[in-house]
CSV table of all heavy atoms in Angstrom, one decimal:
chain,number,residue,atom,x,y,z
A,378,THR,N,97.8,106.9,81.6
A,378,THR,CA,98.6,106.6,80.4
A,378,THR,C,99.3,107.9,80.0
A,378,THR,O,100.6,107.9,79.6
A,378,THR,CB,97.7,106.1,79.3
A,378,THR,OG1,97.0,105.0,79.8
A,378,THR,CG2,98.5,105.8,78.1
A,379,LEU,N,98.6,109.0,80.0
A,379,LEU,CA,99.2,110.3,79.6
A,379,LEU,C,100.4,110.7,80.6
A,379,LEU,O,101.4,111.3,80.1
A,379,LEU,CB,98.2,111.5,79.7
A,379,LEU,CG,97.1,111.3,78.6
A,379,LEU,CD1,96.1,112.5,78.8
A,379,LEU,CD2,97.7,111.5,77.2
A,380,ILE,N,100.3,110.3,81.9
A,380,ILE,CA,101.3,110.6,82.8
A,380,ILE,C,102.5,109.7,82.5
A,380,ILE,O,103.7,110.1,82.5
A,380,ILE,CB,100.8,110.5,84.2
A,380,ILE,CG1,99.8,111.6,84.5
A,380,ILE,CG2,101.9,110.6,85.2
A,380,ILE,CD1,99.2,111.6,85.8
A,381,LEU,N,102.2,108.4,82.3
A,381,LEU,CA,103.4,107.4,82.2
A,381,LEU,C,104.0,107.5,81.0
A,381,LEU,O,105.3,107.2,80.9
A,381,LEU,CB,102.8,106.1,82.5
A,381,LEU,CG,102.2,105.7,83.9
A,381,LEU,CD1,101.7,104.3,84.1
A,381,LEU,CD2,103.2,105.9,85.0
A,382,VAL,N,103.4,107.9,79.9
A,382,VAL,CA,104.1,108.0,78.6
A,382,VAL,C,104.8,109.3,78.4
A,382,VAL,O,105.5,109.5,77.4
A,382,VAL,CB,103.1,107.7,77.4
A,382,VAL,CG1,102.6,106.4,77.5
A,382,VAL,CG2,102.1,108.8,77.4
A,383,GLY,N,104.7,110.1,79.4
A,383,GLY,CA,105.4,111.5,79.3
A,383,GLY,C,106.9,111.4,79.6
A,383,GLY,O,107.4,110.4,79.9
A,384,ARG,N,107.5,112.5,79.5
A,384,ARG,CA,109.0,112.6,79.6
A,384,ARG,C,109.4,112.6,81.1
A,384,ARG,O,110.7,112.5,81.4
A,384,ARG,CB,109.5,113.8,78.9
A,384,ARG,CG,108.9,115.1,79.4
A,384,ARG,CD,109.3,116.3,78.6
A,384,ARG,NE,108.9,117.5,79.0
A,384,ARG,CZ,109.4,118.3,79.9
A,384,ARG,NH1,110.4,117.9,80.6
A,384,ARG,NH2,108.8,119.5,80.3
A,385,TYR,N,108.5,112.7,82.0
A,385,TYR,CA,108.8,112.7,83.5
A,385,TYR,C,109.1,111.3,84.1
A,385,TYR,O,109.7,111.2,85.2
A,385,TYR,CB,107.8,113.4,84.2
A,385,TYR,CG,107.7,114.8,83.9
A,385,TYR,CD1,106.6,115.2,83.0
A,385,TYR,CD2,108.6,115.9,84.2
A,385,TYR,CE1,106.4,116.6,82.6
A,385,TYR,CE2,108.4,117.2,83.9
A,385,TYR,CZ,107.4,117.5,83.1
A,385,TYR,OH,107.3,118.9,82.7
A,386,PHE,N,108.5,110.2,83.4
A,386,PHE,CA,108.6,109.0,84.1
A,386,PHE,C,109.4,108.0,83.2
A,386,PHE,O,109.3,106.8,83.4
A,386,PHE,CB,107.2,108.4,84.3
A,386,PHE,CG,106.4,109.0,85.4
A,386,PHE,CD1,105.6,110.1,85.2
A,386,PHE,CD2,106.4,108.5,86.7
A,386,PHE,CE1,104.9,110.7,86.2
A,386,PHE,CE2,105.8,109.0,87.7
A,386,PHE,CZ,105.1,110.2,87.5
A,387,ASP,N,110.3,108.4,82.4
A,387,ASP,CA,111.2,107.6,81.7
A,387,ASP,C,112.5,107.4,82.5
A,387,ASP,O,112.7,108.1,83.6
A,387,ASP,CB,111.5,108.1,80.3
A,387,ASP,CG,112.0,109.6,80.4
A,387,ASP,OD1,112.2,110.1,81.4
A,387,ASP,OD2,112.3,110.1,79.2
A,388,LEU,N,113.4,106.6,82.0
A,388,LEU,CA,114.6,106.4,82.8
A,388,LEU,C,115.5,107.6,82.9
A,388,LEU,O,116.4,107.7,83.8
A,388,LEU,CB,115.4,105.2,82.1
A,388,LEU,CG,114.8,103.9,82.3
A,388,LEU,CD1,115.6,102.8,81.6
A,388,LEU,CD2,114.5,103.5,83.7
A,389,GLU,N,115.4,108.5,81.9
A,389,GLU,CA,116.2,109.8,82.0
A,389,GLU,C,115.6,110.8,83.0
A,389,GLU,O,116.3,111.4,83.7
A,389,GLU,CB,116.3,110.4,80.6
A,389,GLU,CG,116.9,109.5,79.5
A,389,GLU,CD,117.0,110.2,78.2
A,389,GLU,OE1,116.4,111.4,78.0
A,389,GLU,OE2,117.6,109.7,77.2
A,390,GLY,N,114.3,110.9,83.0
A,390,GLY,CA,113.6,111.8,84.0
A,390,GLY,C,113.7,111.2,85.4
A,390,GLY,O,113.8,112.0,86.3
A,391,MET,N,113.6,109.9,85.6
A,391,MET,CA,113.5,109.4,86.9
A,391,MET,C,114.5,108.0,86.9
A,391,MET,O,114.1,107.0,86.8
A,391,MET,CB,112.1,108.9,87.2
A,391,MET,CG,111.2,110.1,87.5
A,391,MET,SD,109.6,109.6,88.1
A,391,MET,CE,110.0,109.0,89.7
A,392,PRO,N,115.8,108.3,86.9
A,392,PRO,CA,116.7,107.2,86.9
A,392,PRO,C,116.6,106.3,88.1
A,392,PRO,O,116.0,106.7,89.1
A,392,PRO,CB,118.1,107.9,86.8
A,392,PRO,CG,117.8,109.2,87.4
A,392,PRO,CD,116.4,109.6,87.1
A,393,ILE,N,117.2,105.1,88.0
A,393,ILE,CA,117.2,104.2,89.2
A,393,ILE,C,118.1,104.9,90.3
A,393,ILE,O,119.1,105.4,90.0
A,393,ILE,CB,118.0,102.9,88.8
A,393,ILE,CG1,117.1,102.2,87.7
A,393,ILE,CG2,118.1,102.0,90.0
A,393,ILE,CD1,117.6,101.0,87.1
A,394,PRO,N,117.6,105.0,91.6
A,394,PRO,CA,118.3,105.7,92.6
A,394,PRO,C,119.6,105.0,92.9
A,394,PRO,O,119.8,103.8,92.8
A,394,PRO,CB,117.4,105.5,93.8
A,394,PRO,CG,116.5,104.4,93.5
A,394,PRO,CD,116.3,104.4,91.9
A,395,GLU,N,120.7,105.8,93.1
A,395,GLU,CA,122.0,105.2,93.4
A,395,GLU,C,122.1,104.7,94.8
A,395,GLU,O,121.4,105.2,95.7
A,395,GLU,CB,123.0,106.4,93.2
A,395,GLU,CG,123.1,107.0,91.7
A,395,GLU,CD,124.1,108.1,91.6
A,395,GLU,OE1,124.7,108.5,92.7
A,395,GLU,OE2,124.2,108.6,90.5
A,396,PRO,N,122.9,103.7,95.0
A,396,PRO,CA,123.1,103.2,96.3
A,396,PRO,C,123.6,104.3,97.4
A,396,PRO,O,124.5,105.1,97.0
A,396,PRO,CB,124.2,102.1,96.3
A,396,PRO,CG,124.1,101.7,94.8
A,396,PRO,CD,123.7,103.0,94.0
A,397,ARG,N,122.9,104.3,98.5
A,397,ARG,CA,123.4,105.3,99.5
A,397,ARG,C,124.3,104.8,100.5
A,397,ARG,O,124.4,103.5,100.7
A,397,ARG,CB,122.1,105.7,100.3
A,397,ARG,CG,121.0,106.4,99.4
A,397,ARG,CD,121.4,107.6,98.8
A,397,ARG,NE,120.3,108.3,98.0
A,397,ARG,CZ,120.4,109.5,97.4
A,397,ARG,NH1,121.6,110.2,97.6
A,397,ARG,NH2,119.5,109.9,96.7
A,398,PRO,N,125.1,105.6,101.2
A,398,PRO,CA,126.0,105.2,102.2
A,398,PRO,C,125.3,104.6,103.4
A,398,PRO,O,124.1,104.8,103.6
A,398,PRO,CB,126.9,106.4,102.6
A,398,PRO,CG,126.0,107.5,102.1
A,398,PRO,CD,125.3,107.1,101.0
A,399,ALA,N,126.0,103.9,104.3
A,399,ALA,CA,125.3,103.3,105.5
A,399,ALA,C,124.7,104.3,106.5
A,399,ALA,O,123.7,104.0,107.2
A,399,ALA,CB,126.3,102.4,106.2
A,400,ASP,N,125.4,105.4,106.6
A,400,ASP,CA,124.8,106.4,107.5
A,400,ASP,C,123.7,107.3,107.0
A,400,ASP,O,123.3,108.3,107.6
A,400,ASP,CB,126.0,107.3,108.0
A,400,ASP,CG,126.7,108.0,106.9
A,400,ASP,OD1,126.4,107.6,105.7
A,400,ASP,OD2,127.5,108.9,107.0
A,401,TYR,N,123.2,107.0,105.7
A,401,TYR,CA,122.2,107.8,105.1
A,401,TYR,C,120.8,107.5,105.8
A,401,TYR,O,120.4,106.4,106.1
A,401,TYR,CB,122.1,107.5,103.6
A,401,TYR,CG,120.9,108.2,102.9
A,401,TYR,CD1,121.1,109.5,102.5
A,401,TYR,CD2,119.7,107.5,102.6
A,401,TYR,CE1,120.0,110.2,101.9
A,401,TYR,CE2,118.8,108.3,102.0
A,401,TYR,CZ,118.9,109.5,101.6
A,401,TYR,OH,117.9,110.1,100.9
A,402,SER,N,120.1,108.6,106.2
A,402,SER,CA,118.8,108.5,107.0
A,402,SER,C,117.7,108.9,106.0
A,402,SER,O,117.6,110.1,105.6
A,402,SER,CB,118.8,109.3,108.2
A,402,SER,OG,117.5,109.2,108.8
A,403,ASN,N,116.9,107.9,105.6
A,403,ASN,CA,115.7,108.3,104.7
A,403,ASN,C,114.7,109.0,105.4
A,403,ASN,O,114.1,110.0,104.9
A,403,ASN,CB,115.2,106.9,104.2
A,403,ASN,CG,114.0,107.1,103.2
A,403,ASN,OD1,112.9,107.1,103.6
A,403,ASN,ND2,114.3,107.4,102.0
A,404,THR,N,114.5,108.8,106.7
A,404,THR,CA,113.6,109.6,107.5
A,404,THR,C,114.0,111.0,107.7
A,404,THR,O,113.1,111.9,107.7
A,404,THR,CB,113.5,108.9,108.9
A,404,THR,OG1,113.2,107.6,108.8
A,404,THR,CG2,112.2,109.6,109.8
């Protein structure tokens, strides 16, 4: 609870990842 209500796990600290191009390699 202390971790999730902190400022690191809100939408500003961890926004939704932007779409990556087709040649992007996660590995």
